[in-house]
Structures are given as C-alpha cells and as structure tokens.
Amino acid sequence: MKKYIILFVLCLLAMPLAAFGESVGVRAQQSVLKGEKNFLADYTTHNQDGTVNVVIEIPAGTTAKYEVDHKTGLMVLEQKDGQPRYVQYLPYPGNYGFVPRTVLAKELGGDGDPLDVVVLGDAVPRGSVIKARPLGVLTLKDGGEEDSKVIMAAVGSPFEKVRSVKQLNEQFPGVAEILQIWFTSYKGKDKGGKLLLSSDGVKERTEAIRVIGDAALQFERSKISEADKPKLDPDGNPYVYFSPEARNISD
C-alpha cells in the first residue's frame, strides 16, 4: 500500500500545472534562492590570482529582477506594487550582479548597496559566484544620483584576455556601446521625453580597480565598531604613526 501512495505522490508532482487550474505555459516563479553561503558577506572580494568574485543575480538574456537581501543574504525576486519585477525591455546584455563584501556607503554619497557589476561572457545560472577581471566603469546617473556599473570579463570567456576598454573596443567593437545604450534606455523616458538614465561614457580599468577597492574598504569599515575605526586627519585619511625605529630606504 505504501508503495502505491509514494507512486501517487510522484505522479502528482509530475503533472502539469494546467491540471490544477493554471493556464498552459504558466508556471510558478521561484522567488527566493539560498546559497551555500551568505551571498553578500561570506565570499571574498578578491582572489589570490588577482581576479574578483562576482555574485550573479540576473543572468544574461533574462529579465527577472533579483537582488540579495542585506540582512539575510538570500537572493530575492524584487516586488513592486505586490507584483514581481521584470525589466520591460530587451533582456540583460550581460550577467548582472555585485561584488561580495562591498558597499557604496550612503554617508559617502552611495546608495547603501553592494557594488553593481555587469560581467561579459556566457550566461551563467542565477546564484553563481564567478571569477572576473575589471575592464572599466560605465558611468550612469539615475535621477541625478550616481548609479555606475563596473564592466568585467568572466574568466574562461572570450573576453578573459581583454585588459582595457580600449582593447575591448578594438577586439569586440560595439560591446561597450551596446552596454551604454541598454543601461541608459531600459528604464524608459520621463514625461518630457528624456531618458531617465544618462551616461558620460566608459572609464578605463584603473577607475574600475579603484572603485572596487573603495567599496571593499567601505564594507569592512561598516563592520567595525566606532571605537575600532582609525582616527582620520582633516583630509579624511587615517593618521599614520611611525615607529621611532622605522627608517626610509633612502636614509
């Protein structure tokens, strides 16, 4: 008898949703993903081989807007007006996600979220943590606020050996322009017919490296108590204390 009950349950699981009143071709949308680790806090920013880790929230070629919850570390399908969010435009032109253990601190003009990244390469499953190398920064402004995206090349992809925006434009003409057009256009226009997002172009790799480093430092500082934070000089830099035994190489 037990064998037949198990068989019946398996048959129910295998039945199409249409058998339970759903329309043909309609399926439930998975809305929460839990990784092996906390997506935001439990992966390193940099790897020993010089690459950067990236958590993929939106695979290339998809439109569902997922983001990682800051408190739980779970990946959640965004909601707007009680409905799941999907980009009402062409699908994402690259794998979209963020660099773990980074934050754009609000007190420094950021939005309080991890550093946004678009990774060039084959589409990978949502929730993947992949290695990539920074190429440049796509400058973006959304309603006057900074919303730039770091452009990166996935390890193991045709873009892996690219080391600069100039090289990207030479070897893969049109890619940077496609990204700029997509990200400035996907939110549409305002009532006056002007695009909601604007861009000043793509900055080179050195800027990408700086942005990643700054965002990683901001994350680490956000996890340190006020008592443990180093004192800053009038320019906002940590005070440097020299040991009396320290000597310059030129001495």
Side-chain angles (χ1 to χ4, degrees):
M1 182 66 179
K2 184 177 180 180
K3 179 176 68 174
Y4 291 109
I5 293 175
I6 294 175
L7 182 61
F8 176 70
V9 171
L10 291 175
C11 289
L12 288 176
L13 292 175
M15 291 179 68
L17 291 176
F20 295 93
E22 298 286 354
S23 299
V24 175
V26 174
R27 59 187 176 82
Q29 173 67 60
Q30 186 179 15
S31 59
V32 179
L33 293 177
K34 182 179 180 180
E36 295 179 357
K37 302 178 182 179
N38 182 304
F39 284 116
L40 178 60
D42 289 346
Y43 293 95
T44 60
T45 301
H46 297 91
N47 300 302
Q48 292 184 354
D49 60 4
T51 60
V52 175
N53 285 322
V54 180
V55 177
I56 303 303
E57 297 169 303
I58 308 173
T62 66
T63 60
K65 290 276 290 182
Y66 277 76
E67 67 175 2
V68 166
D69 183 271
H70 296 187
K71 294 181 179 180
T72 65
L74 300 175
M75 196 170 294
V76 182
L77 179 60
E78 291 184 38
Q79 304 289 314
K80 186 176 182 179
D81 300 326
Q83 297 294 325
R85 285 193 64 190
Y86 293 87
V87 170
Q88 303 299 308
Y89 195 63
L90 295 173
Y92 273 74
N95 294 296
Y96 187 81
F98 66 92
V99 178
R101 298 188 70 82
T102 62
V103 68
L104 301 179
K106 289 185 177 181
E107 59 268 26
L108 297 178
D111 57 8
D113 290 332
L115 181 62
D116 292 331
V117 172
V118 56
V119 183
L120 304 178
D122 294 339
V124 299
R126 181 175 289 107
S128 299
V129 181
I130 63 175
K131 291 182 176 182
R133 298 185 186 278
L135 299 181
V137 178
L138 173 61
T139 62
L140 287 170
K141 286 189 177 180
D142 186 355
E145 294 184 356
E146 191 74 21
D147 192 27
S148 298
K149 317 294 182 186
V150 175
I151 301 174
M152 305 187 75
V155 171
S157 75
F159 300 90
E160 180 178 6
K161 295 183 179 180
V162 177
R163 291 292 184 271
S164 67
V165 175
K166 180 181 179 181
Q167 189 178 356
L168 176 66
N169 290 333
E170 290 173 350
Q171 295 186 14
F172 300 92
V175 170
E177 185 178 3
I178 289 171
L179 293 177
Q180 186 173 356
I181 292 173
W182 194 93
F183 277 99
T184 55
S185 304
Y186 84 100
K187 283 190 176 181
K189 300 179 179 179
D190 59 22
K191 294 181 179 179
K194 186 178 180 181
L195 288 172
L196 293 170
L197 279 80
S198 61
S199 173
D200 293 327
V202 181
K203 295 183 179 180
E204 274 291 354
R205 180 171 176 264
T206 51
E207 178 66 8
I209 293 172
R210 183 195 67 79
V211 168
I212 294 170
D214 287 351
L217 180 60
Q218 289 172 36
F219 181 90
E220 299 305 326
R221 285 182 172 175
S222 70
K223 300 301 179 183
I224 300 174
S225 66
E226 287 295 328
D228 293 329
K229 289 183 179 179
K231 293 182 180 180
L232 303 181
D233 64 22
D235 295 324
N237 299 311
Y239 280 104
V240 178
Y241 298 93
F242 293 98
S243 166
E245 299 176 357
R247 296 175 62 87
N248 293 326
I249 297 176
S250 59
D251 289 346

